[in-house]
């Protein structure tokens, strides 16, 4: 079992910044890919971006150049730095991990953290 604990959400004005954190209860060495997703009211959950075990990053077009994913292996924590926030970024943000095959390839989700961007 892997537990993901998110933090850092809140209310911010348009143009502002927030940093979300996702602490993973297992070593990042066991993680194949880690992703950030978001779900706005009335909409489907969508991918924000991912980082794989090799450090390769991928972002949704809607957040490229504004959001940055990083990780601290020593703390088993991943981050989502969000700059130049827009009202349309308002959503519940979730972190997600998929473990490597040799660790069972399970998929796990965090509880979500609310981000609200006011205009």
């Amino acid at each position: 079992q892997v537990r993901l604990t998110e933090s850092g959400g809140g209310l911010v004005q348009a143009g502002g910044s927030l940093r979300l954190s996702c602490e993973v209860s297992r070593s990042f060495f066991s993680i194949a890919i880690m992703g950030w997703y978001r779900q706005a009211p009335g909409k489907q959950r969508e991918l924000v971006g991912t980082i794989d075990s090799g450090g390769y990053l991928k972002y949704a077009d809607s957040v490229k150049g504004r959001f940055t994913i990083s990780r601290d292996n020593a703390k088993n924590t991943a981050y989502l730095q969000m700059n130049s926030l827009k009202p349309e970024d308002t959503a519940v943000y979730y972190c997600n991990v998929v473990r490597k095959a040799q660790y069972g390839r399970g998929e796990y989700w965090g509880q979500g953290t609310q981000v609200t961007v006011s205009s």
Side-chain angles (χ1 to χ4, degrees), residues 51-81:
I51 181 169
D52 69 12
S53 57
Y56 178 77
L57 294 163
K58 187 170 66 173
Y59 298 97
D61 288 343
S62 58
V63 305
K64 279 181 182 176
R66 299 190 298 123
F67 290 11
T68 303
I69 294 173
S70 61
R71 67 187 184 199
D72 184 334
N73 292 338
K75 295 181 179 180
N76 294 334
T77 299
Y79 304 96
L80 178 65
Q81 177 67 44

Side-chain angles (χ1 to χ4, degrees), residues 1 5-6 8 19 21-22 32 34-35 37 42 46 50 56 61 71 80-81 85 93 99-100 102 112 116:
Q1 187 70 15
T5 304
E6 299 160 8
R19 189 178 77 159
S21 300
C22 176
M34 181 273 168
Y37 291 74
E46 63 176 3
T50 59
Y56 178 77
D61 288 343
R71 67 187 184 199
L80 178 65
Q81 177 67 44
L85 282 161
Y93 283 72
R99 301 191 84 185
K100 294 177 179 177
Q102 61 265 44
T116 302

Side-chain angles (χ1 to χ4, degrees), residues 11-42:
L11 173 64
V12 64
Q13 288 189 331
S17 298
L18 280 175
R19 189 178 77 159
L20 306 184
S21 300
C22 176
E23 184 177 359
V24 184
S25 64
R26 295 288 186 268
S27 169
F28 272 5
F29 180 76
S30 72
I31 304 299
I33 188 164
M34 181 273 168
W36 286 96
Y37 291 74
R38 66 186 182 186
Q39 187 167 18

Side-chain angles (χ1 to χ4, degrees), residues 84-99:
S84 302
L85 282 161
K86 304 175 181 180
E88 51 264 44
D89 294 319
T90 295
V92 178
Y93 283 72
Y94 299 88
C95 62
N96 166 278
V97 298
V98 177
R99 301 191 84 185

